[in-house]
C-alpha cells in the first residue's frame, strides 16, 4: 500500500463550488504539505503543517484553507473554486526536526474547475 | 529572485549515454538541502537524491549522482547509462533555512531518451 494517499485522484467541479482534497499518510511523519503544479511549471507551496496544532501559509495560500485532523491526515479546501485553480495538487510528508529532510509525495489530484 | 534555475527546458539523449541535468540555486543560508525529483508522464513525484549543504561528498543513489559545487551554487544531476524508462520531467528543488519549510522547485527539464 502507498505511504501517502490522496483522494480523489481526479475531480471536475464548477466555479463557486466548495471542494475538499484529502491526504493520508502511514509514514508516521510529523510534517505535511500541500503543493500545486500548473502545466509546464514546478510545484508551489500552498500550506504546510508541523503538527496538528501548527498550520502555516505557503507562497500561494490565497483562496485555500487547510485542516490537520490528525497526525496522519491533512485536508485542503477550496472554499469557492475558480478556473485558475485548475491544477495538479500534491500532498507531501517529511520527518520532523532532526529527522530526514526528504519530502515524500502522494500520487496527486488532478482538479479541473469549469 | 528565482531561487532554483534549470536552464534546459528539454533534452534528447541516446540510450546508454550519460546525462547531466543542470541546476543552479540561490540562497544566503549556510544550511540548506538540495533534492532531485522525477515526474513521469503518469504525474507522480518520485524522489531521486538528496544533498545537504554540509555534506562533503557528492550524493549517489544507484545510477544517480549529484555533482555538488557549493562555491558555484550548482547541483547537477548525473544519470549514468540512461534507459528508456528515464524519460520524464526532472525537477531540482531546495529547502533553505529562511521562509517556509517547504521546497522551492525549478521549472524542470524534460528528458527524452531515444533508442
Amino acid at each position: 500500500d502507498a505511504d501517502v494517499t490522496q483522494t480523489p485522484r481526479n475531480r471536475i467541479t464548477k466555479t463557486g463550488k466548495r471542494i475538499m482534497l484529502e491526504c493520508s499518510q502511514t509514514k508516521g511523519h510529523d510534517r505535511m504539505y500541500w503543493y500545486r503544479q500548473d502545466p509546464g511549471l514546478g510545484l508551489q507551496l500552498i500550506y504546510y503543517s508541523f503538527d496538528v496544532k501548527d498550520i502555516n501559509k505557503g507562497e500561494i495560500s490565497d483562496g485555500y484553507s487547510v485542516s490537520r485532523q490528525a497526525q496522519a491526515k491533512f485536508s485542503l479546501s477550496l472554499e469557492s473554486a475558480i478556473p485558475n485553480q485548475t491544477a495538479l495538487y500534491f500532498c507531501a510528508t517529511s520527518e520532523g526536526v532532526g529527522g530526514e529532510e526528504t519530502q515524500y509525495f502522494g500520487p496527486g489530484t488532478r482538479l479541473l474547475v469549469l | 529572485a528565482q531561487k532554483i534555475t534549470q536552464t534546459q527546458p528539454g533534452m534528447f539523449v541516446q540510450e546508454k549515454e550519460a546525462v547531466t541535468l543542470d541546476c543552479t540555486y540561490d540562497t544566503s543560508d549556510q544550511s540548506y538541502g538540495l533534492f532531485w525529483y522525477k515526474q513521469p508522464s503518469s504525474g507522480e513525484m518520485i524522489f531521486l537524491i538528496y544533498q545537504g549543504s554540509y555534506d562533503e561528498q557528492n550524493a549517489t543513489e544507484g545510477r544517480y549522482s549529484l555533482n555538488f559545487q557549493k562555491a558555484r551554487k550548482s547541483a547537477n544531476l548525473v544519470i549514468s547509462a540512461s534507459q528508456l524508462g528515464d524519460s520524464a520531467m526532472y525537477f531540482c528543488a531546495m529547502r533553505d533555512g529562511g521562509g517556509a519549510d517547504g521546497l522551492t522547485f525549478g521549472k524542470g527539464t524534460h528528458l527524452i531518451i531515444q533508442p
Side-chain angles (χ1 to χ4, degrees):
Chain A
D1 288 339
D3 294 321
V4 184
T5 58
Q6 293 183 232
T7 55
R9 295 292 312 279
N10 296 279
R11 178 74 184 268
I12 300 173
T13 191
K14 294 182 178 180
T15 298
K17 294 292 187 180
R18 181 182 188 276
I19 66 164
M20 179 182 291
L21 309 183
E22 299 186 344
C23 176
S24 295
Q25 52 115 348
T26 58
K27 298 182 77 69
H29 287 170
D30 288 328
R31 300 187 176 192
M32 298 187 74
Y33 310 80
W34 276 104
Y35 293 86
R36 68 175 275 175
Q37 183 182 27
D38 295 289
L41 297 179
L43 280 65
Q44 294 177 282
L45 182 66
I46 306 173
Y47 270 95
Y48 62 103
S49 170
F50 288 168
D51 61 37
V52 175
K53 298 180 181 179
D54 190 316
I55 303 291
N56 302 278
K57 292 183 177 181
E59 56 186 314
I60 57 164
S61 60
D62 287 348
Y64 302 94
S65 62
V66 292
S67 173
R68 184 84 182 265
Q69 302 94 321
Q71 187 207 32
K73 296 184 181 297
F74 193 35
S75 300
L76 175 73
S77 293
L78 287 67
E79 297 298 328
S80 180
I82 57 177
N84 74 2
Q85 292 178 312
T86 293
L88 180 57
Y89 289 84
F90 287 101
C91 174
T93 74
S94 69
E95 293 185 350
V97 175
E100 183 185 4
E101 288 194 43
T102 300
Q103 294 189 14
Y104 294 93
F105 286 79
T109 295
R110 294 188 183 274
L111 175 65
L112 174 61
V113 183
L114 300 175
Chain B
Q2 194 170 3
K3 285 193 170 185
I4 297 286
T5 302
Q6 295 181 251
T7 57
Q8 305 153 309
M11 288 184 70
F12 289 87
V13 173
Q14 289 295 119
E15 189 180 10
K16 300 182 184 178
E17 289 184 351
V19 181
T20 298
L21 304 181
D22 295 339
C23 174
T24 58
Y25 60 91
D26 182 28
T27 182
S28 57
D29 291 313
Q30 297 302 308
S31 176
Y32 52 90
L34 296 157
F35 304 80
W36 278 92
Y37 287 87
K38 173 184 179 181
Q39 186 177 40
S41 58
S42 52
E44 69 267 32
M45 294 293 287
I46 302 168
F47 166 71
L48 295 178
I49 198 166
Y50 164 78
Q51 179 86 39
S53 59
Y54 292 117
D55 294 340
E56 294 184 352
Q57 293 196 344
N58 288 340
T60 60
E61 290 285 351
R63 293 187 300 114
Y64 304 107
S65 60
L66 199 153
N67 184 1
F68 182 45
Q69 298 187 39
K70 196 169 184 177
R72 299 179 61 181
K73 293 188 175 179
S74 74
N76 298 340
L77 176 70
V78 180
I79 306 173
S80 63
S82 59
Q83 303 171 356
L84 295 178
D86 293 332
S87 295
M89 285 292 293
Y90 288 81
F91 291 97
C92 179
M94 177 177 68
R95 180 210 57 79
D96 62 20
D101 183 59
L103 299 177
T104 300
F105 284 81
K107 293 185 177 181
T109 295
H110 189 190
L111 176 64
I112 297 175
I113 307 299
Q114 297 176 312

